[in-house]
Amino acid sequence: MTTAQLERDLRALAEVIDWPETADLVPGVAGDLVRRPAAAGRATTPWLPRLRPVLVASVVTIALAATVLVVSPGARSAVASWFGIGGVQVERQEEAPTPAASGRAVPPPAATLENGLGVPVTLAQAREFVDFDVRVLDLRADLNRTGGGVYFDQSVEGGMVHIVYHVQAGLPSTDSKGVGALLTQFQGGDEPTFTKEVVRGQDVQFLEFDGGVAMWVTGRSHLLLRNAAGEPLRHTARLSANALVWVDRRGVTYRLETALDPDAAMELAETLK
Amino acid sequence: MRRHQAVAQRAAWLITGSSEDAADATQEGFVKAWRALDRFRDDAEFRPWLLRIVVNTARNRRRSAWRFDALRVRAAAAAAAEMTPTPEVAAVAHDEHDALVAALRRLSKKDREVVACRYLLDLSEAETGEVLGCPRGTVKSRLSRALDRLRAELDAVHPAAAGGVS
């Protein structure tokens, strides 16, 4: 038997090995980052059981001491597609992406928040346009008229719904004048539909929320919409705010941007109905 | 992360021989990698860097690593092979796969790990070197010696297998 034949046989063997089924470790890894803050994450730390998000029915809010990741420029290219929650993928870059860097002509960010969100619709219309149940926060808003704060964005497969809430009691203003919260929701699968580009120095924390794990991304960020093939579509205007990202049991991805702290943001997110 | 978890769990499974241990070791390795990202060199390849952390984590869980105790040929693959070209030929192929697994188990641990990385996990020589912590040239020489010994094992136990499986 020649070496080439033996190599071929070994590769053929790899094809017929009874490999164990691949476990989805994303919830477990994220859960462990919640449960074991980095400072305590030594080799001697007892191993904690993998998190089983779907088994936890009630909303749990904890973990302000969650892992804080200070982004390293050295990790820039390495962590593309490294971690995601639902349809949102975290990538870390030293600088915010530019149209040139994205490899194709991309319009600059919209001048105002609303200009970048899609077509203004009523809440009833938005619910007709998408296959998932559009949920709303328990906040004062006039969502039943066009221009009341609901936007339908069809640039991604399946559609995306944005709801803008204006400043009100308990909801401070973000950098976008008069805007207190931006709630984005879409049916996200395993593949990220859009990417939150996290620039150098930003923090990503993992929080236990809604029976699973949420990402808490702080500071100025840049968001890039991608199509199903992963190609950049356009930059979208977003608040320079903190974002809570999570997925519910039906696979709908939510992204809530506010000027709130994580506790308050989760408390607000719990009002979704 | 999902992009790398399959190969990482396979590597950990080959080391530990347990799917449960493999999942735990991979998860632990991923958490370590996430926390060590600031030490990742920008000019390095990410996958082998990640796999090395997972492999080392799995090794620490099992003193006797890369034993291939749980390595089996899929029953479904054997059944499918029986359809073509003839049941007799398929049965021979299946037997020879089993003989190859048995011969792999008789190799030294150092031989098993380099063969596993290169052929069973389909890593490149460079990736294999990164995962095992040795230069690419060392990978080439280790592979060459491991294949010689594997061939000798096959010839000694089952001379007919010298004709190949495929």
Side-chain angles (χ1 to χ4, degrees):
Chain A
M1 181 188 294
T2 65
T3 298
Q5 283 175 315
L6 189 52
E7 289 182 314
R8 186 187 61 198
D9 289 352
L10 285 165
R11 291 196 172 95
L13 175 65
E15 295 294 318
V16 297
I17 287 175
D18 192 11
W19 297 105
E21 191 173 340
T22 301
D24 183 8
L25 300 180
V26 172
V29 171
D32 199 53
L33 290 169
V34 169
R35 291 171 180 223
R36 293 196 306 169
R42 302 286 183 249
T44 53
T45 303
W47 184 251
L48 293 169
R50 290 199 297 280
L51 196 64
R52 308 288 186 198
V54 296
L55 300 181
V56 185
S58 62
V59 171
V60 183
T61 59
I62 61 164
L64 288 181
T67 290
V68 175
L69 177 74
V70 178
V71 174
S72 156
R76 177 182 53 192
S77 60
V79 295
S81 304
W82 161 249
F83 214 107
I85 296 285
V88 176
Q89 194 83 11
V90 174
E91 292 183 3
R92 278 157 279 175
Q93 299 194 350
E94 193 169 0
E95 296 175 353
T98 62
S102 68
R104 59 187 289 178
V106 179
T112 66
L113 173 68
E114 287 80 359
N115 284 350
L117 296 179
V119 181
V121 295
T122 66
L123 179 61
Q125 288 171 327
R127 284 174 165 156
E128 288 178 6
F129 293 156
V130 296
D131 289 334
F132 57 90
D133 293 331
V134 177
R135 299 166 73 191
V136 298
L137 297 166
D138 186 18
L139 289 172
R140 179 170 49 79
D142 187 7
L143 306 179
N144 294 320
R145 65 174 180 85
T146 301
V150 183
Y151 297 84
F152 176 64
D153 186 338
Q154 56 185 339
S155 60
V156 296
E157 192 172 345
M160 186 180 291
V161 175
H162 306 283
I163 303 178
V164 177
Y165 294 94
H166 292 286
V167 172
Q168 52 196 275
L171 192 64
S173 180
T174 62
D175 285 0
S176 188
K177 189 177 179 182
V179 175
L182 170 63
L183 174 67
T184 296
Q185 48 196 307
F186 64 99
Q187 190 81 49
D190 287 343
E191 294 301 317
T193 302
F194 61 58
T195 301
K196 178 151 189 146
E197 311 281 357
V198 182
V199 299
R200 182 180 182 182
Q202 274 200 304
D203 291 345
V204 180
Q205 298 180 0
F206 294 92
L207 310 173
E208 197 166 351
F209 176 70
D210 195 22
V213 172
M215 282 193 300
W216 175 251
V217 186
T218 57
R220 183 174 292 274
S221 65
H222 211 96
L223 199 69
L224 193 66
L225 280 177
R226 296 181 189 275
N227 64 15
E231 298 167 330
L233 290 171
R234 59 181 169 80
H235 290 296
T236 52
R238 286 294 183 274
L239 313 182
S240 297
N242 304 326
L244 181 71
V245 180
W246 75 102
V247 182
D248 73 4
R249 292 170 187 78
R250 299 162 303 169
V252 178
T253 300
Y254 298 91
R255 188 172 181 278
L256 176 61
E257 289 187 73
T258 64
L260 299 170
D261 62 31
D263 262 350
M266 287 191 288
E267 193 173 326
L268 176 60
E270 289 169 18
T271 70
L272 267 184
K273 58 185 178 184
Chain B
M1 198 170 90
R2 288 190 168 100
R3 180 189 300 175
H4 304 297
Q5 65 182 3
V7 67
Q9 286 183 61
R10 286 183 174 193
W13 178 73
L14 287 171
I15 293 169
T16 64
S18 155
S19 56
E20 187 71 17
D21 283 351
D24 285 348
T26 306
Q27 179 172 314
E28 184 180 355
F30 278 15
V31 171
K32 287 178 181 173
W34 176 259
R35 290 178 175 146
L37 276 173
D38 58 346
R39 298 199 294 274
F40 178 78
R41 298 192 326 272
D42 202 23
D43 59 344
E45 290 293 326
F46 182 63
R47 185 171 85 149
W49 177 82
L50 176 65
L51 288 179
R52 182 174 184 174
I53 294 174
V54 171
V55 162
N56 288 337
T57 303
R59 277 173 173 160
N60 290 338
R61 288 172 163 254
R62 281 292 170 97
R63 189 168 295 173
S64 303
W66 302 102
R67 287 175 56 92
F68 298 163
D69 287 341
L71 204 156
R72 301 280 185 278
V73 174
R74 277 199 317 270
E82 286 175 7
M83 305 296 290
T84 58
T86 67
E88 292 77 15
V89 171
V92 170
H94 190 255
D95 288 347
E96 291 178 351
H97 280 133
D98 285 343
L100 189 51
V101 170
L104 282 170
R105 289 189 183 123
R106 290 193 294 274
L107 295 179
S108 69
K109 178 185 158 191
K110 286 185 86 69
D111 286 348
R112 291 195 303 266
E113 67 181 12
V114 74
V115 169
C117 286
R118 183 72 180 96
Y119 300 109
L120 303 187
L121 298 174
D122 199 25
L123 305 184
S124 68
E125 287 179 353
E127 288 178 314
T128 299
E130 177 68 26
V131 169
L132 298 181
C134 59
R136 187 174 177 179
T138 304
V139 171
K140 289 175 86 77
S141 57
R142 280 182 59 183
L143 271 175
S144 176
R145 290 194 295 270
L147 292 179
D148 285 345
R149 285 189 276 266
L150 182 59
R151 185 165 34 230
E153 288 288 345
L154 287 168
D155 288 346
V157 175
H158 188 15
V165 181
S166 304

